[in-house]
Amino acid sequence: AFHLILLACCVLFASSIPLFDPNGAASGTTLALNFSENQRFVAIAAVDAVLRDVDGFAVTRVEARLSPVLDDQKGLAAANLGAASTYDDLTDTLVVTPRATSSLNDLIATLRTLQYYNFEAEPSGTSRTVSLTVFSSASGGGGNFVGTTTTVLITIQRVDDPPLMDLNRLDNRLSSAIASTDSLNAVLTYAEQQASTLCFPNALVTDDEDAIVVITLTFAKADANNSLVLTSGLNNPPVLTTTGATTTLTFVNPASAAFASAVLRRIRYSHLGDEIGADARVLTVVAIDSGGSRSQSAQLTIIVSTLNDNSPIFAAPTTGYSFLVTEGQSAGTEVGVVFASDADLGVG
């Protein structure tokens, strides 16, 4: 009979091992929450989260383990209030340990600051789980106990961001990506009567969700002699049309961002007139994806140099110029004016 009573006590004792309830006063011990792309941080414990069944135990540590292992710039964190917290990147495990002077309330206060963070611009959409386990010993020493694991379920909500477009990726922090601090613009130098030249040899388009359907290229001022053409050599190239100051590239099949980048890198500019003028041309480029989202505008500034390639012609009457000079006039006296001009625009 003594053995039976002892066994019953042990079973009761084992069923009351401490656990951390991230839900606090809400029913159940599983917390479900959403994390939106670009949110960066989300609390994974309620403000009234609590350690349960701690009577008769001394909590030695609480472990929070994140799974699955996805993305690089992610993890778990907690404020070092009355307890110390350390994070292991290799195992994605955060360990919260009471200090020698910590009270139970100090430990709980630290656990209530638990957060999941993710700084990835495009995090994986796979849901995450945080497993919370309390490790303890019996008060007064003796025995090591592993409490019941409770969980936090994190649903990742992806955001359909608009496409990004950079006309010169070589000046980016990373040439394979577009950061918010990167300049999106480019500069092209073009000389009068020059052959067609590539506009965007280092263009980059990215889109995390959708395909590109249209790219528009619009000059700030209409000029019938401005010409944009697409170099041949691509399979299923977009249809190029020009109306007024705007050239439109319409993709027959929705294109990947990589293909859209390749198309932009094959666009060439030329001026078909004899005289181009020295004013800079500004070309604004926008990409539109299949979700209807538009990229931020990027601009190409075309710096023009002119040629002095036309001879001046005097604007003389058919009979030529004739001037009357009165005898005795001093040197330097103006006796007439002649006019000459050429077809060059600007200086020269």
Side-chain angles (χ1 to χ4, degrees), residues 93-148:
T93 301
L94 179 76
V95 179
V96 179
T97 306
R99 296 189 177 96
T101 58
S102 297
S103 67
L104 182 62
N105 287 335
D106 290 334
L107 177 59
I108 293 173
T110 298
L111 293 173
R112 287 174 177 173
T113 69
L114 284 170
Q115 290 184 320
Y116 166 76
Y117 64 86
N118 195 317
F119 299 148
E120 294 285 342
E122 303 298 338
S124 167
T126 302
S127 296
R128 316 298 204 269
T129 298
V130 180
S131 302
L132 302 161
T133 307
V134 179
F135 294 81
S136 59
S137 62
S139 296
N144 292 304
F145 300 94
V146 180
T148 302

Side-chain angles (χ1 to χ4, degrees), residues 1-320:
F2 174 76
H3 292 294
L4 290 176
I5 293 173
L6 179 61
L7 177 60
C9 290
C10 289
V11 171
L12 177 62
F13 189 63
S15 66
S16 301
I17 292 175
L19 63 81
F20 177 61
D21 182 357
N23 244 343
S27 61
T29 57
T30 297
L31 177 63
L33 52 87
N34 296 322
F35 177 85
S36 179
E37 178 183 317
N38 302 325
Q39 185 174 342
R40 301 175 70 85
F41 292 93
V42 65
I44 57 173
V47 294
D48 59 348
V50 66
L51 280 165
R52 300 194 186 281
D53 301 324
V54 293
D55 290 343
F57 290 90
V59 176
T60 55
R61 72 183 188 278
V62 178
E63 290 187 0
R65 184 181 296 270
L66 176 66
S67 64
V69 178
L70 297 168
D71 303 327
D72 293 325
Q73 302 179 67
K74 55 79 187 74
L76 301 173
N80 289 321
L81 298 176
S85 62
T86 57
Y87 185 68
D88 185 341
D89 284 319
L90 297 178
T91 61
D92 278 335
T93 301
L94 179 76
V95 179
V96 179
T97 306
R99 296 189 177 96
T101 58
S102 297
S103 67
L104 182 62
N105 287 335
D106 290 334
L107 177 59
I108 293 173
T110 298
L111 293 173
R112 287 174 177 173
T113 69
L114 284 170
Q115 290 184 320
Y116 166 76
Y117 64 86
N118 195 317
F119 299 148
E120 294 285 342
E122 303 298 338
S124 167
T126 302
S127 296
R128 316 298 204 269
T129 298
V130 180
S131 302
L132 302 161
T133 307
V134 179
F135 294 81
S136 59
S137 62
S139 296
N144 292 304
F145 300 94
V146 180
T148 302
T149 297
T150 54
T151 56
V152 177
L153 302 178
I154 306 173
T155 300
I156 307 297
Q157 297 177 327
R158 298 289 300 276
V159 176
D160 184 8
D161 295 317
L164 300 176
M165 181 175 56
D166 192 322
L167 300 183
N168 181 20
R169 62 189 175 89
L170 297 186
D171 62 4
N172 293 0
R173 185 170 60 88
L174 296 173
S175 62
S176 59
I178 303 172
S180 59
T181 55
D182 292 331
S183 169
L184 306 179
N185 304 324
V187 175
L188 172 69
T189 57
Y190 182 83
E192 181 181 312
Q193 298 183 9
Q194 179 180 332
S196 66
T197 185
L198 291 173
C199 293
F200 324 106
N202 299 302
L204 176 64
V205 179
T206 64
D207 196 309
D208 63 314
E209 299 288 341
D210 301 308
I212 305 300
V213 293
V214 171
I215 295 176
T216 61
L217 308 96
T218 304
F219 283 100
K221 294 182 180 180
D223 182 344
N225 288 315
N226 284 330
S227 173
L228 296 174
V229 298
L230 175 61
T231 307
S232 60
L234 294 172
N235 293 325
N236 300 315
V239 176
L240 185 150
T241 57
T242 299
T243 303
T246 299
T247 295
T248 303
L249 298 167
T250 304
F251 291 87
V252 179
N253 299 309
S256 66
F259 186 71
S261 300
V263 167
L264 277 178
R265 293 171 191 171
R266 300 175 77 89
I267 297 293
R268 305 184 75 91
Y269 170 78
S270 62
H271 191 273
L272 305 179
D274 178 62
E275 294 297 323
I276 187 172
D279 292 340
R281 271 66 172 165
V282 177
L283 184 61
T284 300
V285 188
V286 175
I288 305 171
D289 67 20
S290 57
S293 297
R294 300 168 65 89
S295 71
Q296 186 176 347
S297 298
Q299 291 187 335
L300 174 72
T301 301
I302 304 173
I303 305 298
V304 175
S305 60
T306 60
L307 296 177
N308 186 8
D309 57 344
N310 289 285
S311 300
I313 299 174
F314 284 100
T318 55
T319 57

